[in-house]
Structure formats: C-alpha cells, structure tokens
Amino acid sequence: MKKYFAVFVVVSSLILSCGKGAETEDKSCCAGKDTAICETDKEITPAESIFNLKAQFKTQDDKTFTLEMLTGKTTVVGMVFTHCAYACPRLTADMVSIADSLNGEDVNFLLVSFDVERDTPERLKYFATKSGLKDNWTLLHGSEDAVRTLSVLLNVQYEKDADGNFSHSNIVSVLDKQGRLQFQKEGLGADHAQTINTIKKLVQQP
C-alpha cells in the first residue's frame, strides 16, 4: 500500500488542486465555471497524469493491463461492480449513451470494478457482453490497493457493505490523452451534453 500512497500524494496534490483539475457539478474547486474544462497551466508536469499509477490490472479478456496503455486517446472512466442491481447498470448505460453520441470518435471507455473478490475477468466479460459493450471498452479487475488508489485520484467514494455489495459514488470522469483529469459529472441519468462537448474538444487536441 505504501507505494500506491506515494503515488496518491504526488498525483492527487496536482490533479485535484484548483485550476489544474477537473470541473465537477458539486464538489470540485472549479465548480461553477462556465467552461467545460478548467484552465490549466501551459506547462503541465507528467505527475499530473493518472496514468502514473503503475499497478497491474486484468482485463475482461484476462490480459495484463496498466493505465498508461490508454495513452494517446481521450478516456471516459466509470467505477462499478457487476453484482450491482441498479446504479452500476444505469451508470454503464449513461456511458453507452455518451459513446453513441460521439459518432465514432476514437475514444477509450474504461470501467474499473470495486469488487476485487467477485469481479474476475470472466465475470467482467459476462457483464460486457450483457451490456452490449463494444471493442473500445476495457473492464478492469485489480488489487484492493490499486482500486482504492484509483478511486481516490478520481474522487470516487465507495464502501463495502455487510452483504458484500458496495455503496458508492456514481461519477463519469473524462481524461485527456495524457491521462489528466479534465471533467467529471456525478449522478445517474444526468444530462451529459457538457461531458460530450468536453470529449469532442479533447479528441481534437494533439
């Protein structure tokens, strides 16, 4: 856990600081601005990238995966667990709707599971098939430390219940091509017009 905590201290202090982080509807220090993307300094250090989390995950195809493998494309991220009865399928559906609105834009879609015990690659594959997710979707199973660290970097809160399920935030996050957090929207069935607009702008950036 120490190595992930060290990553959190370096990355989160930069990513989540006002003026260098994401706009959120409720929680971010950038909330209330009219622009979809908070202003950033012209020179941004590599430490601001969430891709600096070097932990290894497993995909729904049981392949080893690191977040830096997403480099080069805008990435849309959600955190879920597949035994969730309502919120997670709804959040996934919201992300599918975002994808459908992009008219084929080359964007990564990423779902990371809270449930490190039950959400095996096989289970994630089943969820992806059931949800009709396309080839540009990656579903990840990771260690408890890796998942917790990523959740902190994305400001996604979750807690395991006595029955093995999870209470959690429902947040869609948008990362730029270098893995820097640029925008977040919280809530199920939310209006994602600004999310889509942000993604389209980021896709056009080098």
Side-chain angles (χ1 to χ4, degrees):
M1 182 64 185
K2 289 183 179 179
K3 62 181 180 181
Y4 298 125
F5 179 76
V7 173
F8 160 69
V9 170
V10 174
V11 181
S12 62
S13 63
L14 294 168
I15 292 176
L16 301 178
S17 60
C18 188
K20 291 188 178 182
E23 175 181 332
T24 66
E25 290 296 305
D26 303 328
K27 299 178 180 179
S28 171
C29 56
C30 300
K33 292 188 178 181
D34 293 330
T35 55
I37 306 174
C38 296
E39 293 183 1
T40 59
D41 292 341
K42 291 183 179 180
E43 295 185 3
I44 303 177
T45 63
E48 289 189 339
S49 174
I50 288 175
F51 298 165
N52 280 291
L53 178 57
K54 301 301 184 184
Q56 291 190 346
F57 296 84
K58 285 287 187 178
T59 71
Q60 71 269 35
D61 296 315
D62 201 24
K63 295 181 179 179
T64 301
F65 192 91
T66 59
L67 297 179
E68 65 184 350
M69 293 170 69
L70 298 165
T71 302
K73 295 182 183 180
T74 303
T75 299
V76 182
V77 187
M79 298 191 74
V80 299
F81 69 105
T82 67
H83 289 80
C84 181
Y86 173 75
C88 299
R90 184 60 188 271
L91 183 67
T92 302
D94 288 347
M95 291 175 64
V96 169
S97 180
I98 291 169
D100 291 343
S101 299
L102 294 175
N103 299 319
E105 296 280 9
D106 196 10
V107 174
N108 295 318
F109 283 84
L110 181 70
L111 290 176
V112 183
S113 174
F114 302 116
D115 196 340
V116 301
E117 296 180 3
R118 295 180 295 179
D119 278 343
T120 61
E122 293 79 11
R123 175 71 187 183
L124 293 175
K125 184 73 169 181
Y126 168 78
F127 183 81
T129 301
K130 181 180 178 181
S131 302
L133 306 183
K134 297 181 179 179
D135 292 341
N136 61 329
W137 287 72
T138 302
L139 283 69
L140 294 182
H141 167 273
S143 69
E144 187 172 346
D145 284 352
V147 172
R148 179 63 71 181
T149 303
L150 180 60
S151 76
V152 171
L153 296 178
L154 294 175
N155 197 28
V156 174
Q157 300 178 19
Y158 72 95
E159 183 177 0
K160 192 172 183 178
D161 300 331
D163 59 3
N165 293 320
F166 295 83
S167 301
H168 57 86
S169 307
N170 296 293
I171 298 176
V172 174
S173 302
V174 180
L175 311 179
D176 67 14
K177 296 176 183 180
Q178 290 74 44
R180 297 178 295 235
L181 183 60
Q182 297 294 323
F183 183 82
Q184 292 186 300
K185 182 79 173 186
E186 183 166 14
L188 300 174
D191 180 357
H192 279 287
Q194 195 172 6
T195 310
I196 294 165
N197 201 36
T198 300
I199 295 167
K200 288 181 177 180
K201 288 181 179 180
L202 292 172
V203 167
Q204 298 304 315
Q205 293 179 4

